[in-house]
Amino acid sequence: QVQVVESGGGLVQAGASLRLSCAVSGRSLQGLGIGWFRQAPGEERVFVAAIDWSGGSTSVEDSVKGRFTISREMAMNTVYLQMNGLNPEDTAVYYCAADDDFGSIWSLRQEREYDYWGQGTQVTVSS
């Protein structure tokens, strides 16, 4: 059974950086697509970034492109979301999810592609 656990959230000021971690257990990252989603208060959960099962392709939502970067470290079986230049609009609960069906990088933008979800980590950006 695959489990994913997010960490690294917190309260920061506008302009700061945070690095979120998604630790995967129960299976190697090789063969798993990993995505990050976020849900702001009163809003639906939306796609942020993804890395495919091979690690060779990534996708980042336009609204955070240039500020957020997704990467993975195989030795740690962990995927990271580096977030720079944070602003109050980035305030949300950030979720990590895993897909074990070798989905394409484009399908990983959809919540329905994922099989396993973490509990989320809160990111709050003050102005």
Side-chain angles (χ1 to χ4, degrees), residues 1 3-5 16 26 37 48 54 59 65 71 75 97 101 103 106 117:
Q1 181 76 3
Q3 291 187 320
V4 294
V5 178
F37 292 76
V48 177
S54 72
S59 178
K65 195 169 291 183
S71 63
D101 296 324
W106 304 114
W117 289 83

Side-chain angles (χ1 to χ4, degrees), residues 19-36:
R19 188 179 75 164
L20 304 184
S21 298
C22 173
V24 178
S25 61
R27 182 168 166 177
S28 169
L29 268 183
Q30 188 66 32
L32 288 177
I34 301 293
W36 284 97

Side-chain angles (χ1 to χ4, degrees), residues 6-61:
E6 307 94 336
S7 62
L11 171 63
V12 298
Q13 291 189 331
S17 297
L18 278 176
R19 188 179 75 164
L20 304 184
S21 298
C22 173
V24 178
S25 61
R27 182 168 166 177
S28 169
L29 268 183
Q30 188 66 32
L32 288 177
I34 301 293
W36 284 97
F37 292 76
R38 67 184 181 184
Q39 186 168 22
E43 298 185 13
E44 293 185 350
R45 189 159 59 185
V46 297
F47 170 77
V48 177
I51 186 166
D52 78 347
W53 62 272
S54 72
S57 294
T58 62
S59 178
V60 179
E61 175 59 27

Side-chain angles (χ1 to χ4, degrees), residues 14 26 30 33 36 46-47 65 67 86 91 96 104 106 114 121-122 124-125:
Q30 188 66 32
W36 284 97
V46 297
F47 170 77
K65 195 169 291 183
R67 297 190 298 124
L86 286 162
T91 294
C96 174
S104 71
W106 304 114
Y114 294 89
T121 185
Q122 176 70 48
T124 304
V125 185

Side-chain angles (χ1 to χ4, degrees), residues 11 30 52 56 61 68 77 82 87 89 93 110 112 114:
L11 171 63
Q30 188 66 32
D52 78 347
E61 175 59 27
F68 291 13
N77 226 42
Q82 178 67 43
N87 58 61
E89 290 69 37
V93 178
Q110 306 299 322
R112 62 177 179 267
Y114 294 89

